[in-house]
Amino acid sequence: MSDGDLISELYAGCFRRLVVQLYAVTGDLNEAQEAVQEAFTRALAAPRRFAELENPEAWLRRVAVNVARSRYRRRRVLDGLLRRIGPPPAVADHSPEHLALLAALRGLPEGQRQALALHYLVDLPVDEVAATLGVSAGTVKSRLSRGRHALAALLTDSDATDTTETGRIDARS
C-alpha cells in the first residue's frame, strides 16, 4: 500500500470520528473540521514519515488538538487587541454612488482592483503601490490605466441600467 493510499484510507475511516472528538474539545463544529483537515494536510506533507507511525490516528488527533489550541490562543490574542482599539469604524459613505463604486471595483480583475484601491483610495504613489504589490511601476501604471477604463465602463453600464429601470429615457440609447 502506498503512503497516499494509507492517508486516503485513514481519511475515509477516521475523519468523522476525529471531527466528533475535536468538536467535544472545541465546541465549534467548523473549528473541529478545520483542525482535522489541517492535521491531514500535515500528514500529506510528509507521507513517508506518517506511514512509519505506530498509531497514525493518535498522531492525527494530537496534531488536530494542537492546531485547535494554537488557533484558540491566536484568536484570544486578536480579540484582546480588537477590544483595545474599539469597535470597527463605520463605513464612511452609504450613498448610492459609493456603493456602486464598491460594486464596480469588485467586478475588476484583482490586480487592477488592488492598484486602483492603493493608489486612489489609500493615496499611495505609484512606486509605493509597486513595492506593496511586488510588481514594477510600469505594471502598476498599466493596471491603473486599464482599471480606470474598465471601471468607467462598469459605472456607465450601471448608470444606464439604473436610468432604464426608473422609467426615464436614456439619451445614450
Side-chain angles (χ1 to χ4, degrees):
M1 176 185 306
S2 75
D3 300 337
D5 291 341
L6 170 67
I7 295 172
S8 295
E9 190 176 301
L10 272 168
Y11 187 86
C14 67
F15 178 79
R16 284 187 174 170
R17 184 171 45 249
L18 289 171
V19 168
V20 169
Q21 293 167 1
L22 263 286
Y23 179 50
V25 171
T26 64
D28 182 342
L29 182 59
N30 289 328
E31 187 66 32
Q33 289 171 334
E34 287 183 22
V36 173
Q37 288 171 358
E38 177 65 27
F40 275 100
T41 301
R42 292 183 185 182
L44 285 169
R48 288 197 191 276
R49 197 175 76 187
F50 182 75
E52 295 171 359
L53 294 172
E54 186 176 318
N55 188 348
E57 186 175 343
W59 183 88
L60 288 165
R61 183 181 312 102
R62 184 178 26 172
V63 169
V65 167
N66 288 340
V67 166
R69 291 171 65 197
S70 294
R71 290 173 63 129
Y72 174 77
R73 282 192 300 266
R74 277 187 252 131
R75 189 172 38 256
R76 212 172 62 203
V77 168
L78 177 63
D79 289 346
L81 292 172
L82 291 175
R83 275 194 301 277
R84 269 198 237 155
I85 62 173
V91 175
D93 191 358
H94 290 288
S95 69
E97 294 84 13
H98 182 76
L99 296 176
L101 174 63
L102 292 177
L105 280 169
R106 283 191 299 270
L108 295 178
E110 184 179 0
Q112 292 174 8
R113 183 177 61 248
Q114 290 171 344
L116 287 169
L118 291 173
H119 185 66
Y120 291 107
L121 300 178
V122 182
D123 205 26
L124 295 178
V126 170
D127 292 336
E128 198 167 334
V129 172
T132 301
L133 297 178
V135 297
S136 71
T139 300
V140 170
K141 290 176 185 178
S142 172
R143 289 178 181 176
L144 287 172
S145 176
R146 290 181 183 151
R148 283 190 302 266
H149 289 293
L151 195 58
L154 287 170
L155 290 172
T156 302
D157 288 347
S158 122
D159 289 344
T161 304
D162 290 346
T163 54
T164 305
E165 288 174 358
T166 59
R168 289 185 279 164
I169 297 174
D170 187 17
R172 291 173 286 206
S173 302

